[in-house]
Amino acid sequence: MTSHTVPAAASGTWVLGDLTVNRIGFGAMRLTGSAAFHDGTPSDRGRAIAVLRRAVELGVDHIDTAAFYFSRLRSANELINSALAPYADDLVISTKVGPARDACGGWAEPARPEELRGQVEENLRQLGRDHLDVVNFRVMGQESVSDHFGALSELRDAGLVRHLGISNARPEHLVQAEAIAPVVCVQNRYGLDAPDRTGMLRACAERGIAFVPFFSIAGEGGEAGAVHGEHDEVRAVGRAHGASPAQVRLAWILQQGSHVLAIPGTRDPDHLADNVAAGALRLTRDELQLLGSVGRSAS
């Protein structure tokens, strides 16, 4: 499908709290280099900045990032700051806190509740902002998120954070968080190869909360990136529309509910335009059922 003139607005919009965003956004993780963050070939800085600026030109107004998205030479937040500051009033930047990495890139113990302020302030410093639009607490094996979410709620009351969400969460985490402060989004892994086994997609729909899948294109590859093989069902639907497998996967994601937001990431300007164009791809009921059979076989 033709991609170079399709704007992000073709995907429709959703409201995160009081912030309206197009349903096709951009995930910044892969801008830093390899999906392993610290290993592999560093990304080209100029190209990464060009991709971010092109995303905004195409109407992308929702960017997902985190201070722990960095490699040996690249920081996602620094790239965003360099590319897009001063920021447009309608640009929404979502960040994540909870995971922690040391200066050498190794994973450290997840942040305690009292350490979350430092992580929020680090995101503010790197992005060059006086507040964060959306902060997601990423669950790292905790049975309860109440203490962590309570700490973030205090930062929200202090004006450092505008809206809150959770990531890698189960329905009970959502209940715990909602008892403390409003939740505007849930970021969980979800896609054709990663069914929603917890019922979070439906729980968010019932509450009017955005559901924001990650690794929606990567499929079984997850953090390692897209798999080399592709399901016959995905290829068949792609041929019918003149679309790439990635576009089919994104279109399927978006048609799972008006509350679903996509945040595909890439370092390739052409892939970026293709991803954004997927917001205009409408699949038929039969095609959705065919693709859904992939998920059922993966569950």
Side-chain angles (χ1 to χ4, degrees):
M1 61 185 295
T2 302
S3 62
H4 65 280
T5 59
V6 179
S11 62
T13 61
W14 184 260
V15 179
L16 289 169
D18 60 349
L19 303 170
T20 301
V21 296
N22 291 320
R23 293 177 62 216
I24 281 276
F26 181 82
M29 183 185 76
R30 299 191 187 280
L31 288 178
T32 64
S34 71
F37 295 118
H38 206 62
D39 301 321
T41 304
S43 62
D44 180 272
R45 187 173 186 276
R47 193 182 197 197
I49 287 175
V51 165
L52 284 163
R53 289 176 176 166
R54 181 56 178 154
V56 171
E57 289 173 359
L58 290 170
V60 169
D61 53 11
H62 175 211
I63 295 177
D64 176 75
T65 186
F68 56 86
Y69 287 175
F70 67 88
S71 61
R72 287 174 294 167
L73 297 179
R74 303 285 177 262
S75 157
N77 282 353
E78 185 276 329
L79 290 168
I80 292 168
N81 190 343
S82 296
L84 303 178
Y87 301 103
D89 291 340
D90 61 351
L91 179 64
V92 174
I93 299 179
S94 298
T95 59
K96 283 174 291 298
V97 296
R101 299 173 65 200
D102 59 34
C104 296
W107 291 103
E109 286 296 314
R112 298 186 299 275
E114 63 270 20
E115 294 174 322
L116 292 180
R117 184 184 184 101
Q119 291 194 340
V120 165
E121 290 177 345
E122 180 67 5
N123 277 283
L124 289 169
R125 184 189 66 79
Q126 293 176 358
L127 290 167
R129 304 196 70 171
D130 60 6
H131 75 278
L132 299 176
D133 297 319
V134 181
V135 171
N136 293 287
F137 173 66
R138 182 171 176 83
V139 182
M140 303 289 288
Q142 295 94 344
E143 289 300 316
S144 173
V145 301
S146 296
D147 290 344
H148 289 82
F149 210 75
L152 290 178
S153 178
E154 292 176 2
L155 298 179
R156 175 177 172 268
D157 293 342
L160 296 182
V161 177
R162 192 162 179 176
H163 297 295
L164 298 175
I166 53 177
S167 176
N168 197 38
R170 302 190 301 271
E172 56 265 35
H173 295 135
L174 178 55
V175 172
Q176 294 162 4
E178 284 188 308
I180 296 169
V183 176
V184 301
C185 59
V186 173
Q187 285 191 354
N188 274 13
R189 182 172 182 177
Y190 177 64
L192 282 176
D193 305 288
D196 174 31
R197 296 186 175 91
T198 68
M200 189 68 90
L201 175 68
R202 181 175 178 179
C204 288
E206 292 171 345
R207 291 166 164 83
I209 294 172
F211 184 76
V212 189
F214 55 82
F215 299 149
S216 54
I217 294 179
E220 296 174 350
E223 291 183 5
V227 294
H228 294 295
E230 184 54 273
H231 299 287
D232 292 339
E233 296 89 341
V234 176
R235 294 191 181 280
V237 173
R239 286 193 297 270
H241 291 273
S244 69
Q247 289 176 319
V248 172
R249 285 174 172 271
L250 286 171
W252 182 85
I253 282 284
L254 290 171
Q255 286 184 240
Q256 298 310 299
S258 60
H259 67 303
V260 179
L261 308 182
I263 49 169
T266 182
R267 289 175 282 164
D268 187 308
D270 292 332
H271 289 169
L272 168 69
D274 287 346
N275 290 344
V276 172
L281 177 58
R282 302 293 184 263
L283 306 177
T284 67
R285 180 176 298 179
D286 288 344
E287 288 169 340
L288 290 170
Q289 291 178 344
L290 176 65
L291 294 170
S293 67
V294 174
R296 288 191 293 273
S297 65
S299 61

